[in-house]
Amino acid sequence: NQLLQKLSVTDGLTGLYNRSKLDMILVDQLARFKRNNRPFCLLMIDIDYFKQINDELGHIMGDKILMTVSTVLLKSIRAIDYAARYGGDEFMIILTETDMDAAIKTAERIRTQASALCQAFDASPVKISLSVGIAQSQHSDIMPNDLIARADAALYEAKKAGRDQVKIDCGRALST
């Protein structure tokens, strides 16, 4: 039963939480935020040009990159934070009790470490980059999708600005 429970909330390839579990965690985090007024941040992370990497280098290398990025995510967060595979080459991180400044530092560290690790592959180094969008919890957030939409908009801005960078949700409240 424990194995089935674990399999139902994790992504088979990366071992990170899956999208369903991510939604449950976000509901819980929003409730905690409303109770305790301690902000948390959501990072939406995308591997730049991943489809092209898969097409040119093959799906086995694509899977290796996904697993490498997942390892970087897990090593870059605290035990109280959460990492999930949102779908395809998109990942989400929930940084509990974290403000925007700390979230930006974490995002930049993830971005540089993932790129360095993939360039250090033994058989065939791969140059990858990550785009990251960050949103901080707001009292107007009712459902997980409210926060996800803002992180997604920030991610879109990072991609539009040339990729390989971190952008924050500009509509965020400055004081919560």
Side-chain angles (χ1 to χ4, degrees):
N1 281 345
Q2 285 180 331
L3 177 61
L4 287 175
Q5 172 62 24
K6 182 177 165 109
L7 291 173
S8 72
V9 297
T10 56
D11 174 67
L13 177 65
T14 63
L16 300 178
Y17 287 123
N18 62 23
R19 190 171 178 166
S20 170
K21 179 66 174 176
L22 174 76
D23 285 339
M24 289 187 280
I25 294 167
L26 280 172
V27 166
D28 182 56
Q29 288 301 310
L30 284 169
R32 284 175 190 250
F33 169 64
K34 297 210 188 247
R35 252 189 339 267
N36 302 328
N37 203 30
R38 292 185 189 141
F40 69 95
C41 288
L42 178 67
L43 281 61
M44 183 176 251
I45 302 163
D46 185 76
I47 302 171
D48 296 327
Y49 304 110
F50 187 71
K51 183 183 179 335
Q52 183 178 341
I53 292 169
N54 256 347
D55 291 347
E56 291 177 9
L57 302 176
H59 287 72
I60 291 173
M61 181 57 78
D63 286 352
K64 185 175 181 180
I65 291 168
L66 290 171
M67 291 183 289
T68 301
V69 170
S70 299
T71 299
V72 169
L73 298 181
L74 289 173
K75 288 182 177 180
S76 299
I77 61 174
R78 304 164 297 179
I80 60 170
D81 300 325
Y82 304 92
R85 185 172 178 199
Y86 191 61
D89 63 319
E90 286 187 331
F91 301 90
M92 295 258 199
I93 293 180
I94 299 168
L95 298 173
T96 62
E97 297 189 17
T98 302
D99 64 14
M100 189 59 82
D101 291 336
I104 291 168
K105 288 177 186 168
T106 299
E108 288 292 354
R109 185 173 61 248
I110 288 168
R111 199 176 58 73
T112 56
Q113 288 179 356
S115 179
L117 273 180
C118 288
Q119 286 182 0
F121 286 161
D122 287 336
S124 53
V126 178
K127 180 166 176 26
I128 68 145
S129 62
L130 302 178
S131 294
V132 184
I134 306 173
Q136 183 174 307
S137 55
Q138 296 180 5
H139 287 286
S140 60
D141 294 329
I142 310 250
M143 302 296 291
N145 281 343
D146 299 332
L147 193 59
I148 291 171
R150 290 188 294 106
D152 192 35
L155 174 63
Y156 175 77
E157 288 302 315
K159 290 184 165 296
K160 193 168 104 175
R163 302 177 195 262
D164 193 21
Q165 57 191 288
V166 175
K167 291 288 184 182
I168 62 171
D169 168 44
C170 294
R172 69 181 166 92
L174 295 177
S175 61
T176 52

